[in-house]
Amino acid sequence: MACEFMDMITAIIYIILFIIMMVFVFSIGMLRQYMPKKEIVLVLVVAFLIGAIGGAFFLEPIYEDMPTVVSLVERNIPGNEETMYLDLSSSINMKELSNDLSSTEGFISFEETSITIPLWKFNDREMEYFNRVLGNIDSHYKHYNVTKDGKLEIELEDNYSSYDALKTFSDWYRLVYGGSLSYAQVHAKLVVDASSVDKFQKILMDKGVVASKMEGPVQTTMNDTNSSLIPSYQFVLLTGVVGIIVAVFGIYYESFGVFSRRFKKFMSEKRKR
């Protein structure tokens, strides 16, 4: 929370600094009447450069953080949940991980959904064999897929642990092939309160785990905002154009003032009639 507050203060300071730069550009525009007419191009070029430099240094960092800022609203809406999909090494202590996650505020559920066992590149005969026997190794294998590059992708029944699933397969593999498995991957699904995402990401990071995918209103908002942002160089060019517009207002400020007074006088006379 303190970090977010400091980021907000920094953003406000940056915006104020950019506004000060635009006031300076406006002032340069107002000096146009004391310059030769041909100097107007120089004024506009300087205004563009100041606007672009100010945008690059002060506004672009804020612009790039827009997805994070917008997602903060979704994070603080009660009832919003985020689903984190995890790819874990079978060597990780799943019981310890589950206990750490479930004891953290904001926890909703943690489920081991499937396992992936990499073996070797199969020929057609070996693919046919594993497709035939895999369903008989463990009745808790809900669905499975055998790929030609030698991966066994096994979906687990609800509440069936990856440890038991791997032990069953490992025992069968040792019996048939006389060896042991060197590596397997466990896929899990963690559902948490949206306001606690950062907390759970830190717990996972401490264990060397990064979510492979996230789903939920927070992630959707971030993705939508990211897709709507223009590239950084276009944003910088746009702030340069803003500088030109501000300079034009400064250059023609007196003309705008005269026009405004004449318009008010015209409207006043029209009412009197």
Side-chain angles (χ1 to χ4, degrees), residues 182-210:
S182 58
Y183 176 78
Q185 196 172 53
V186 178
H187 308 287
K189 183 170 72 173
L190 171 64
V191 183
V192 301
D193 188 274
S195 62
S196 303
V197 168
D198 290 343
K199 198 187 305 180
F200 284 94
Q201 284 180 326
K202 186 179 185 309
I203 293 173
L204 293 170
M205 187 70 73
D206 290 342
K207 296 181 180 294
V209 178
V210 178

Side-chain angles (χ1 to χ4, degrees), residues 73-105:
V73 177
E74 291 290 347
R75 290 192 184 206
N76 291 289
I77 295 178
N80 275 356
E81 299 177 358
E82 287 293 302
T83 301
M84 306 168 72
Y85 294 90
L86 312 177
D87 296 328
L88 310 163
S89 168
S90 57
S91 61
I92 196 169
N93 189 324
M94 298 297 294
K95 187 174 182 180
E96 180 184 305
L97 175 62
S98 180
N99 289 337
D100 289 344
L101 294 172
S102 61
S103 62
T104 303
E105 185 180 357

